[in-house]
Amino acid sequence: MTTITCRNLTTGIHEQAITRGIDLKLVPGTITALTGPSGCGKTTLLHTIGLLLTPTAGTVTIDGIDATGWNQRQRRAFWRDKAAFILQDYGIMDEETVNFNVSMQLNTLGLAVGGDHRRIRNALRLTGLASRGNELASHLSGGEKQRLGIARAIYKNASVILADEPTASLDADNRANIIRLLRERANQGATIILATHDPVLVSACDQVYRVGEPDSK
């Protein structure tokens, strides 16, 4: 289980500040929505919390340790050991199979999908992709790729899940299923942070942070 704390955080790209003075605590067992209109900086904030971007001021601490100045090796260890990302550009390897995209592992010979095949099948079953495991990921629709990203997080049993608009391409039934799965992950102790403008998803969250608005916590 992982706690992330932002203190007086300023985020930006190419030294241009986008959000300022953010104080936010993200704790195990909860889902937090970062919400606001397009262009408000919620995706930049999400990426900064996940250590994909370095803040221009303030700190991000992980389990009480200041991670703001971590080097690339330390960040990679966090991504490998604790975090799973579900991003709008999917992070999916189109030329590989759906099964491989869940485990991101090859077997010892490097010739077939590695990892725990039972857990791969279970993750795909939970996300409605059970019949697609041997297909190339390029055959999936946008919504299916988003669900594949969630299957990867389930397989990994990540303690931190960071998702950018995870329901944007989903119909009502699949959206309800993804919200249910995210809630189950939170109930099992994951810390979940979502950038979203989906009011249904926002209403299912435990904490809502309106990016760019004062006193938004």
Side-chain angles (χ1 to χ4, degrees), residues 41-216:
K42 56 186 181 291
T43 293
T44 301
L45 176 56
L46 181 77
H47 287 190
T48 304
I49 291 169
L51 307 184
L52 295 173
L53 294 174
T54 300
T56 58
T59 60
V60 177
T61 64
I62 298 174
D63 292 331
I65 299 170
D66 187 353
T68 313
W70 276 1
N71 59 32
Q72 195 67 8
R73 180 187 59 78
Q74 291 169 306
R75 289 168 183 255
R76 284 177 179 158
F78 168 71
W79 300 331
R80 181 191 67 233
D81 298 336
K82 293 183 178 293
F85 293 90
I86 305 162
L87 304 178
Q88 284 187 294
D89 61 3
Y90 308 125
I92 302 299
M93 299 178 68
D94 280 338
E95 72 280 7
E96 299 289 351
T97 65
V98 170
N99 283 333
F100 176 83
N101 273 279
V102 174
S103 71
M104 299 297 287
Q105 298 177 47
L106 292 173
N107 66 7
T108 54
L109 297 177
L111 300 175
V113 174
D116 186 324
H117 286 233
R118 182 190 59 80
R119 286 171 52 211
I120 292 172
R121 290 193 298 270
N122 184 58
L124 292 177
R125 178 184 61 80
L126 289 172
T127 51
L129 297 170
S131 65
R132 312 297 297 276
N134 292 320
E135 293 186 48
L136 292 179
S138 59
H139 295 176
L140 301 183
S141 68
E144 287 169 335
K145 287 182 178 180
Q146 285 178 307
R147 284 189 276 149
L148 177 53
I150 293 174
R152 181 186 294 168
I154 291 171
Y155 174 86
K156 188 175 184 180
N157 196 25
S159 63
V160 179
I161 297 175
L162 303 108
D164 193 4
E165 302 289 2
T167 59
S169 301
L170 304 182
D171 59 28
D173 287 344
N174 278 311
R175 176 173 62 184
N177 185 44
I178 291 311
I179 291 172
R180 178 183 61 79
L181 289 171
L182 290 171
R183 174 52 60 192
E184 287 179 0
R185 295 296 104 188
N187 289 345
Q188 292 169 9
T191 303
I192 301 178
I193 310 102
L194 314 172
T196 183
H197 64 270
D198 179 349
V200 176
L201 182 55
V202 170
S203 68
C205 293
D206 305 296
Q207 177 178 213
V208 178
Y209 188 95
R210 292 178 175 83
V211 179
E213 294 183 15
D215 301 320
S216 59

